[in-house]
Amino acid sequence: MKPSHILSDLVIYFKNFARSREGVFFTFIFPVILIAVFGSIFSHGTGGSVPLYVQNLNGTTGVTQEFLAGLNQTHLVKVHMIPADVNVQNYITRNSVTAALVIPSTFTDAVRANTTTTLPFYYNPTQSSSQFAAQAINLVVEHFNAQLSGTHSIISVSQNTNSVVATSYIDYLVPGLIGFTILTSPMFSTTYIVSSYKKEKIFRQFSLTPLTKSEWLFSRFTGSFIIALLSAGEMIATGVILFDARVILTPLVLPFILLGVVLFVSLGTIAGALAKTEEGASVIGNIITFPMMFLSGTFFPVSAMPSWLQGIAHLLPLYYIIDGLNSVMIYTNGAEAVLDIAVSATLALLFFVIALAVFSWKEE
Amino acid sequence: MTQTAIAAEHLVKSYGSIKAVDGLSLNIRKGEVYSLLGPNGAGKTTTIEILEGLRRPDEGNVSILSMDPWKNAVELRRKVGVMPQGFNFIAKITPKEAIRHYCTLFGVPDNSKELLELVDLTDMARVSFEHLSGGQKQKLGLCLAMANSPEIIFLDEPTTGLDPQARRNMWDVIKRLKSEGKTLLLTTHYLEEAERLADRVGIVDHGRMLAEGTPDDIIGEHGNGLYLRISGTAELASRIRSATGLECSSKDGLVDIKIDANENIVNVLRVVESVHSKLSVLELKREGLEDVFVKMVGRMEGNE
Ligand SMILES: Nc1ncnc2c1ncn2[C@@H]1O[C@H](COP(=O)(O)OP(=O)(O)OP(=O)(O)O)[C@@H](O)[C@H]1O
Ligand SMILES: [Mg+2]
């Protein structure tokens, strides 16, 4: 593998890219339009309500009804009930619940008697939606406390959730859309390039030179990585300037962008190489891309989706990239990010090896 | 002893039920210009692509500079230049950028200026490939084939679609490459071109070699030699045939008579004189490569 070959190919690639208006539009302008549109619709609105599971051990009383109604009125959460006769911890595990609150049997009595009571709150700190839930609970609890006493807390929530910074929709949208550009730009451009170069016999032309397939792929990785970095910067700037998004700028985003690019350039190469025609390639590319585009946490946090969809999301490679980006950009949660890196790196390597195997410059 | 540059033994290549190349053999010396002639679909491109290492033959052996082009593709790339039929390149890249890219890849100094001048493409050096005319694209294809100064150059229909001036220019480039001692294999539909440029010619149809040799050899071996062409009717033709016993054909007011010896001519003219036929055409002709080609290929078609 010769750096001079890769560099020369990269120069040709960027010249060709910069001279194509459609390419520049879809890579750099379209995602900004998306972030502007989604940001304006949802950043102040109700679109981000996440599920909060509540087990009411107290039965239906005026106080519990008022408390549950209060939760729903925050518009941050949508309350789902857990049956009173199940073990809440088992229920959480079985149903991948990210946030659950238990109303104890003594709740109504305690509120009426102005004695303190504690509501156990179970949450997964790495899941974005649990922060919404915590925020909603705090709002309602504070409201109750203020009404009941005004001097000391009657109701408290166990599990110290107060240290977690409340996040807003736009904060998720920035990593989500970075993931979106890591997916779409390399995937669509590689699928298109591979299928059209194959058809237009440009690969045949390459195969007559000392340029190798791996050099060419590395040039694609590098090119897409540079473009993805620029797009990510653009997403962050737009989110911060237009919508006041709070994201943490850390070099830890780099491995995710790099792995994402290798993963989707390889996947695009596979789609382009396996398809017989350019049209076929774009169909295959779309079939691979569209589910990931919407279900991996790009526009909405995965934890806000129904649990069966969450199951599907966990099968999508982009989920791990965006989950990791969320971990490092919103929560600074390194532990969770390590798992995401491991999964992404494994998938990237796997798809790269497959791409090298199925992608050929010659016809037999 | 002359060295062999290209050797192919009994090549066979099928695409599904179509036999594109059917037992074809070739031997080309170093420094030789060899031209493959054949109608559309004869198998020229398939043959040349097998020799370039772009396709793997179903059967047969290939040796290019004593190497197998399929297995030693990487090594041979540096010694072989290829201008494919229907050459194509990245849409928004200019000829100058393309040649430079090739020079970097081959690790040779940038020779874009000389090459563009050589094929008369300097004016278009900074125009995107997609905006070049068909002939200009082909000229770039030739430049790229020459970028690494290869020993062997394959040119698949280098002059198809060129204007007369550009064709002559292409011939000059080919002659120059020959004078530099390069081995050239070119395909063409133009017999005149093959006769003019090639040391040896191979006539191919249905994937088989029908005739091979210098243009003169082929004409001598497969041509009908001399014939006399005179103006006259079919009736005159049949009179000549019965009077002299010579092979005779008539078409469009012309009669062609095959001539073996000088006395045949005298005998024919006697017949003409005896029927008082008025002569407006009297020519002694030798069959050219074109006649041989049309006849051979026509015979193949007739066999179908
Ligand atoms: N990739 C392919 N797939 C299927 N059939 C093919 C393919 N390439 C060539 N053929 C068939 O093989 C035969 C020989 O084609 P080839 O291109 O070698 O002919 P050619 O002599 O170069 O013709 P031309 O003068 O038109 O360029 C033709 O019948 C053609 O249809
Ligand atoms: Mg051809």
Side-chain angles (χ1 to χ4, degrees):
Chain A
M1 188 130 23
K2 281 201 178 150
S4 66
H5 291 182
I6 297 174
L7 188 67
S8 185
D9 185 81
L10 205 53
V11 169
I12 291 284
Y13 172 78
F14 272 121
K15 280 182 173 160
N16 193 52
F17 172 77
R19 288 167 193 166
S20 132
R21 271 190 223 133
E22 304 85 353
V24 172
F25 175 82
F26 277 106
T27 309
F28 291 121
I29 300 178
F30 185 59
V32 173
I33 295 175
L34 280 185
I35 199 171
V37 168
F38 278 88
S40 332
I41 295 175
F42 294 120
S43 58
H44 317 294
T46 54
S49 72
V50 298
L52 171 65
Y53 285 79
V54 178
Q55 186 180 42
N56 184 3
L57 301 175
N58 195 205
T60 307
T61 70
V63 177
T64 56
Q65 289 307 94
E66 192 186 340
F67 188 83
L68 291 174
L71 285 174
N72 271 332
Q73 274 159 20
T74 61
H75 293 298
L76 289 170
V77 291
K78 186 166 185 331
V79 171
H80 300 262
M81 300 309 293
I82 301 176
D85 54 353
V86 300
N87 178 309
V88 70
Q89 310 241 27
N90 292 346
Y91 186 89
I92 287 170
T93 328
R94 232 176 315 119
N95 297 291
S96 313
V97 169
T98 51
L101 184 73
V102 177
I103 299 176
S105 56
T106 57
F107 185 67
T108 304
D109 292 341
V111 169
R112 294 222 168 104
N114 260 11
T115 55
T116 57
T117 180
T118 300
L119 311 188
F121 176 49
Y122 303 90
Y123 72 104
N124 178 348
T126 65
Q127 290 296 325
S128 45
S129 63
S130 60
Q131 321 312 324
F132 284 101
Q135 201 184 353
I137 294 166
N138 280 345
L139 281 172
V140 178
V141 165
E142 273 166 31
H143 179 73
F144 263 70
N145 283 339
Q147 272 190 336
L148 290 172
S149 145
T151 52
H152 65 281
S153 295
I154 302 297
I155 308 173
S156 64
V157 178
S158 68
Q159 310 280 342
N160 189 7
T161 60
N162 297 336
S163 66
V164 179
V165 185
T167 48
S168 68
Y169 175 71
I170 191 73
D171 299 345
Y172 299 109
L173 192 56
V174 172
L177 282 182
I178 292 176
F180 174 83
T181 58
I182 296 175
L183 165 72
T184 51
S185 162
M187 195 56 207
F188 287 137
S189 71
T190 314
T191 309
Y192 171 73
I193 287 179
V194 171
S195 59
S196 70
Y197 279 19
K198 192 169 71 170
K199 176 164 166 253
E200 290 171 10
K201 310 234 161 171
I202 290 173
F203 282 141
R204 173 183 73 180
Q205 206 55 41
F206 290 163
S207 76
L208 298 167
T209 74
L211 185 71
T212 65
K213 254 185 348 178
S214 344
E215 283 168 350
W216 188 81
L217 274 177
F218 266 90
S219 163
R220 288 294 69 67
F221 294 153
T222 317
S224 292
F225 182 60
I226 292 169
I227 290 174
L229 280 185
L230 294 173
S231 311
E234 204 187 24
M235 296 293 109
I236 294 170
T238 314
V240 170
I241 294 167
L242 286 189
F243 301 107
D244 215 10
R246 277 160 296 169
V247 290
I248 297 148
L249 289 177
T250 151
L252 285 175
V253 301
L254 296 180
F256 287 103
I257 296 181
L258 182 65
L259 289 172
V261 160
V262 172
L263 212 160
F264 295 119
V265 167
S266 300
L267 207 51
T269 305
I270 296 169
L274 292 183
K276 292 267 186 292
T277 63
E278 279 175 88
E279 293 75 24
S282 91
V283 169
I284 297 178
N286 287 343
I287 289 173
I288 298 174
T289 313
F290 276 102
M292 262 192 274
M293 217 153 101
F294 296 106
L295 300 181
S296 307
T298 40
F299 302 120
F300 308 99
V302 169
S303 46
M305 303 191 309
S307 60
W308 65 273
L309 262 185
Q310 291 193 24
I312 293 176
H314 284 78
L315 299 175
L316 304 172
L318 184 60
Y319 168 81
Y320 298 93
I321 305 277
I322 293 180
D323 195 55
L325 285 173
N326 280 335
S327 298
V328 298
M329 293 185 79
I330 306 179
Y331 309 125
T332 48
N333 187 327
E336 173 83 353
V338 168
L339 178 69
D340 290 319
I341 286 198
V343 175
S344 308
T346 311
L347 291 174
L349 184 70
L350 178 72
F351 286 124
F352 173 60
V353 171
I354 297 176
L356 262 188
V358 299
F359 171 46
S360 167
W361 281 359
K362 298 190 205 178
E363 302 166 52
E364 290 266 318
Chain B
M1 214 190 92
T2 51
Q3 285 174 292
T4 303
I6 300 170
E9 196 82 39
H10 198 81
L11 297 181
V12 177
K13 177 80 192 178
S14 304
Y15 299 110
S17 60
I18 301 170
K19 249 197 179 157
V21 179
D22 189 6
L24 190 139
S25 300
L26 259 183
N27 244 296
I28 302 174
R29 279 177 285 112
K30 276 193 181 161
E32 188 174 28
V33 178
Y34 189 102
S35 177
L36 279 178
L37 270 174
N40 291 129
K44 302 182 296 294
T45 298
T46 308
T47 304
I48 219 169
E49 286 183 351
I50 291 171
L51 301 178
E52 291 159 357
L54 292 177
R55 283 187 197 280
R56 203 210 308 248
D58 299 337
E59 284 173 41
N61 295 313
V62 188
S63 153
I64 307 291
L65 300 171
S66 313
M67 282 182 269
D68 178 339
W70 184 261
K71 289 184 190 132
N72 303 82
V74 177
E75 233 178 307
L76 271 174
R77 265 169 217 170
R78 299 186 174 277
K79 300 182 174 174
V80 170
V82 172
M83 173 182 173
Q85 181 173 10
F87 162 76
N88 197 14
F89 205 72
I90 307 169
K92 296 186 190 309
I93 295 304
T94 70
K96 195 168 187 71
E97 289 162 350
I99 299 172
R100 280 194 175 159
H101 181 43
Y102 267 53
C103 290
T104 312
L105 293 178
F106 280 110
V108 299
D110 176 12
N111 53 13
S112 55
K113 195 163 175 293
E114 301 84 77
L115 287 176
L116 289 169
E117 248 161 50
L118 184 67
V119 301
D120 196 20
L121 199 60
T122 311
D123 291 348
M124 296 287 137
R126 290 171 200 287
V127 176
S128 288
F129 183 77
E130 61 183 347
H131 295 134
L132 297 179
S133 77
Q136 290 163 344
K137 288 179 179 171
Q138 257 164 290
K139 288 176 175 184
L140 176 62
L142 180 64
C143 289
L144 296 183
M146 296 189 296
N148 60 327
S149 321
E151 289 174 42
I152 299 181
I153 304 181
F154 294 99
L155 305 168
D156 197 356
E157 298 194 19
T159 62
T160 303
L162 294 188
D163 66 47
Q165 172 63 41
R167 168 166 303 149
R168 245 153 261 273
N169 186 236
M170 183 71 76
W171 288 351
D172 289 342
V173 174
I174 292 172
K175 282 179 190 157
R176 186 177 141 153
L177 290 169
K178 180 179 165 58
S179 73
E180 289 171 6
K182 313 274 190 208
T183 308
L184 279 98
L185 173 53
L186 58 113
T187 72
T188 179
H189 295 137
Y190 302 102
L191 296 112
E192 177 203 4
E193 187 167 290
E195 272 184 287
R196 202 179 274 245
L197 298 172
D199 298 320
R200 276 195 307 145
V201 174
I203 297 178
V204 187
D205 198 13
H206 295 271
R208 271 170 273 171
M209 188 70 84
L210 302 186
E212 198 185 27
T214 66
D216 280 346
D217 286 348
I218 294 185
I219 295 164
E221 188 176 335
H222 299 275
N224 270 337
L226 286 174
Y227 60 97
L228 186 69
R229 170 169 287 181
I230 58 172
S231 51
T233 59
E235 196 200 330
L236 177 64
S238 68
R239 270 176 188 273
I240 294 173
R241 197 179 299 120
S242 56
T244 63
L246 291 171
E247 224 176 272
C248 222
S249 65
S250 82
K251 198 182 163 193
D252 303 333
L254 292 172
V255 179
D256 289 346
I257 309 109
K258 192 170 161 13
I259 299 299
D260 300 324
N262 281 351
E263 56 164 321
N264 296 151
I265 301 173
V266 178
N267 293 339
V268 168
L269 289 178
R270 279 215 186 94
V271 178
V272 173
E273 177 61 17
S274 70
V275 298
H276 305 291
S277 180
K278 197 167 183 304
L279 278 185
S280 59
V281 176
L282 176 65
E283 279 180 282
L284 191 57
K285 299 191 68 143
R286 171 179 282 284
E287 276 194 342
L289 195 54
E290 175 142 11
D291 303 291
V292 175
F293 177 78
V294 169
K295 216 163 57 186
M296 296 189 93
V297 169
R299 200 156 54 220
M300 283 291 288
E301 305 301 322
N303 283 349
E304 294 281 293

